[in-house]
Amino acid sequence: DGGITQSPKYLFRKEGQNVTLSCEQNLNHDAMYWYRQDPGQGLRLIYYSQIVNDFQKGDIAEGYSVSREKKESFPLTVTSAQKNPTAFYLCASNPLGTGDGYTFGSGTRLTVV
Amino acid sequence: AQKITQTQPGMFVQEKEAVTLDCTYDTSDPSYGLFWYKQPSSGEMIFLIYQGSYDQQNATEGRYSLNFQKARKSANLVISASQLGDSAMYFCAMREGVRQGAQKLVFGQGTRLTINP
């Protein structure tokens, strides 16, 4: 079955270390998105991409970086510049131009100690 | 400015009762879409229902219906005959426009629904 795979489910890192979260989809979707969720809060957009080798900043891009070298993959790096990286990270995708059909991964819970 | 507002941080409902979760939105784009998602404690986002701005009728999906009042910019979710498994966080979200590029979803703060037996 098609879907989005996020790995790992739980991630622990020491403060000051960069960490990369994986997001892979086999839905043939062009658009991919990264969201951050803090406890009891809604989702906020970090980065999004509509095509390979192209991506745009969302509302809270500072301290994060992404790449889109393959259509299927959209990894997110949480850098040491991100002041409060502990959060739940969700990846999503949808077909371009449809306005719906969003699919979400199961998320990665990052804890920085 | 907040684009999606969910004013109920928490709701407590008896099993089998109907429940309405409120959502208001703000946009100047004539073309937009409204979504409701359920998020159980596991964290996954489960799509429930979608309403397009040009849809003439309110969307329905099984026990879920969306009370769409365009003039009031309101898109409330109604769950009929609530079940214990409905206990979760519920998010209202909006995407603006239908264009060629990627279309971001903007989320509200969510409502935590608890169904009591």
Side-chain angles (χ1 to χ4, degrees):
Chain A
D1 283 340
I4 296 182
T5 301
Q6 289 189 245
S7 60
K9 193 170 179 64
Y10 299 95
L11 191 53
F12 295 87
R13 277 296 181 269
K14 290 185 178 179
E15 197 171 334
Q17 288 182 336
N18 290 357
V19 60
T20 298
L21 282 58
S22 170
C23 176
E24 303 276 333
Q25 53 101 356
N26 60 3
L27 300 162
N28 201 33
H29 287 171
D30 288 293
M32 297 188 74
Y33 311 81
W34 272 107
Y35 288 90
R36 169 183 171 139
Q37 186 180 25
D38 292 290
Q41 302 295 314
L43 280 64
R44 293 183 290 166
L45 183 67
I46 306 172
Y47 268 99
Y48 62 103
S49 166
Q50 61 184 23
I51 197 169
V52 172
N53 293 324
D54 180 68
F55 44 83
Q56 288 81 41
K57 293 181 179 180
D59 300 317
I60 55 166
E62 185 175 348
Y64 299 97
S65 66
V66 293
S67 63
R68 187 87 186 274
E69 296 177 4
K70 298 187 299 182
K71 185 175 183 178
E72 306 79 29
S73 179
F74 191 40
L76 173 74
T77 297
V78 184
T79 75
S80 56
Q82 168 50 232
K83 297 193 185 323
N84 296 298
T86 294
F88 186 58
Y89 292 88
L90 281 158
C91 179
S93 71
N94 79 318
L96 270 183
T98 61
D100 60 9
Y102 297 89
T103 300
F104 282 83
S106 56
T108 293
R109 197 167 299 277
L110 173 65
T111 303
V112 175
V113 296
Chain B
Q2 191 86 321
K3 291 207 167 192
I4 296 285
T5 302
Q6 295 181 251
T7 57
Q8 306 152 309
M11 289 273 290
F12 294 86
V13 172
Q14 286 298 117
E15 191 179 7
K16 300 180 184 173
E17 287 184 353
V19 56
T20 298
L21 304 183
D22 295 341
C23 174
T24 57
Y25 59 93
D26 182 29
T27 182
S28 57
D29 196 322
S31 177
Y32 53 89
L34 296 156
F35 301 75
W36 277 93
Y37 287 89
K38 172 184 178 181
Q39 187 180 45
S41 56
S42 57
E44 68 207 275
M45 297 291 283
I46 301 169
F47 167 74
L48 296 178
I49 198 166
Y50 168 79
Q51 180 87 40
S53 58
Y54 294 119
D55 293 343
Q56 294 295 316
Q57 299 203 340
N58 287 346
T60 61
E61 291 283 353
R63 293 187 298 114
Y64 305 106
S65 61
L66 199 152
N67 184 1
F68 182 46
Q69 298 188 40
K70 197 170 182 177
R72 298 177 64 180
K73 294 189 174 179
S74 164
N76 298 341
L77 176 71
V78 180
I79 306 174
S80 63
S82 57
Q83 302 170 355
L84 295 178
D86 293 334
S87 294
M89 280 288 283
Y90 288 79
F91 291 98
C92 180
M94 177 178 68
R95 64 98 187 117
E96 292 173 299
V98 181
R99 304 178 184 90
Q100 293 299 315
Q103 294 157 274
K104 305 168 281 183
L105 281 179
V106 177
F107 287 81
Q109 294 287 81
T111 295
R112 182 169 297 282
L113 176 63
T114 303
I115 308 298
N116 296 315

